[in-house]
Amino acid sequence: MTTLDFAALDGLAFAAERGRLAGRQVERAVVRDLGPLIEMSHLAAAGLLPRPGDAPWLELDGVGDLRGALAQGQMRWVCPFRRNVGFLRTAGERDEMSWTAFGVAAQQAAVGAGFAKRVAAQLVGAIGEMYSNIYEHSGAARTGLVAFMAREKSFEFVAADRGAGVLDSLRTCPEYAGLDDHGEALRLTLSDGVSRHGRGTDHGKGFRPLFIGVANLNGLLRFRSGDHALVIDGHKPSLVAARLAQKPRIGGFLASVKCLVAGDAAPSTRP
């Protein structure tokens, strides 16, 4: 049995895109992290892969309860037993009470995993900014989701939507109307001060809290939109270390972040 990490997921998606997956026996795989699980759901929406709950070769290890709650259509859920995993869907309008309860649960989970309270608060602040970005930029707030999962010395969170995607969002601004590359759009979106509102408008700072939150942690950050992924990993992740790679196309935007308590070995992945 293999692990369905991002490298394995990319391989399956490329095989499906080239028509090589139909009729092929897929090696049994186990999902242990949120990022690949939610990105697989995006690939399923694009018609490339089955939904995680429908893939007979997929085993959900530790994320099965979360997947079940998602399938039931719940808007907010935190594991009632371990309190280490949960999600919050976005709706037509931002629900501050739901966000506050979710943020408290996420911060408590991060502290329980071994992160300092200050660092846990910064990570939850980053989730909050990405939650807000879904409402401000996706054009499809009802499709959005933020989720977290904590394990000993690790904390992972994901923000995703099936809206416009970063390229189409930036192109609504005359400054970026000529942009035609999803990878460059990802790089620009993560740059400070860049947004569909244009430069110099006091917008485009939504990812600053993310980079502050992971500044002294070992981390793996993966951003997906259109036909590209942007990956940053290592100690003190920053946009300077970003790697772009072409991938099978998905709709919307997905950000997956996994951090380890400072001093532990950094997670790694191929772009």
Side-chain angles (χ1 to χ4, degrees):
M1 182 181 293
T2 188
T3 298
L4 190 75
D5 56 14
F6 285 122
L9 184 64
D10 287 341
L12 288 169
F14 276 123
E17 187 178 56
R18 295 162 185 162
R20 297 175 182 171
L21 201 58
R24 169 183 153 189
Q25 185 173 355
V26 178
E27 182 181 1
R28 192 160 182 80
V30 59
V31 181
R32 294 191 171 94
D33 292 333
L34 289 179
L37 175 76
I38 295 175
E39 188 168 323
M40 183 176 173
S41 296
H42 275 242
L43 290 162
L48 284 173
L49 295 177
R51 294 179 300 178
D54 296 335
W57 42 266
L58 197 64
E59 179 178 321
L60 304 178
D61 178 20
V63 295
D65 289 344
L66 178 139
R67 172 62 193 170
L70 285 171
Q72 292 167 12
Q74 296 193 42
M75 292 299 293
R76 185 181 84 228
W77 177 87
V78 175
C79 178
F81 308 109
R82 297 185 300 276
R83 308 291 296 176
N84 70 321
V85 58
F87 68 80
L88 174 65
R89 295 183 193 269
T90 51
E93 296 181 358
R94 178 166 173 151
D95 181 343
E96 292 298 338
M97 289 184 64
S98 292
W99 162 253
T100 299
F102 176 81
V104 168
Q107 183 169 333
Q108 290 174 340
V111 170
F115 290 83
K117 188 174 182 179
R118 174 186 58 81
V119 174
Q122 289 175 334
L123 293 173
V124 172
I127 302 173
E129 288 296 334
M130 290 193 285
Y131 176 68
S132 297
N133 283 348
I134 293 172
Y135 285 100
E136 185 174 355
H137 299 295
S138 72
R142 293 184 184 275
T143 69
L145 173 81
V146 289
F148 73 87
M149 184 165 67
R151 288 179 170 153
E152 185 178 2
K153 295 188 177 181
S154 77
F155 184 78
E156 180 187 10
F157 59 93
V158 177
D161 67 72
R162 293 179 184 154
V166 296
L167 178 60
D168 286 348
S169 178
L170 283 178
R171 288 176 63 174
T172 62
C173 174
E175 188 174 349
Y176 306 110
L179 191 64
D180 62 358
D181 182 90
H182 291 279
E184 179 62 11
L186 275 169
R187 189 188 65 78
L188 284 169
T189 294
L190 294 169
S191 302
D192 205 27
V194 175
S195 80
R196 64 185 177 87
H197 299 288
R199 296 181 187 269
T201 60
D202 202 34
H203 290 272
K205 303 182 186 300
F207 290 97
R208 180 185 292 174
L210 172 59
F211 289 113
I212 291 173
V214 302
N216 293 301
L217 301 174
N218 289 319
L220 167 63
L221 294 75
R222 176 175 165 112
F223 304 90
R224 282 282 271 122
S225 188
D227 62 0
H228 268 76
L230 185 150
V231 176
I232 309 169
D233 60 11
H235 187 58
K236 299 184 178 181
S238 70
L239 193 56
V240 174
R243 306 189 306 277
L244 280 166
Q246 194 158 11
K247 305 293 180 185
R249 184 184 293 267
I250 62 170
F253 175 72
L254 185 147
S256 172
V257 178
K258 185 174 183 179
C259 295
L260 302 182
V261 172
D264 283 53
S268 62
T269 186
R270 296 193 301 271

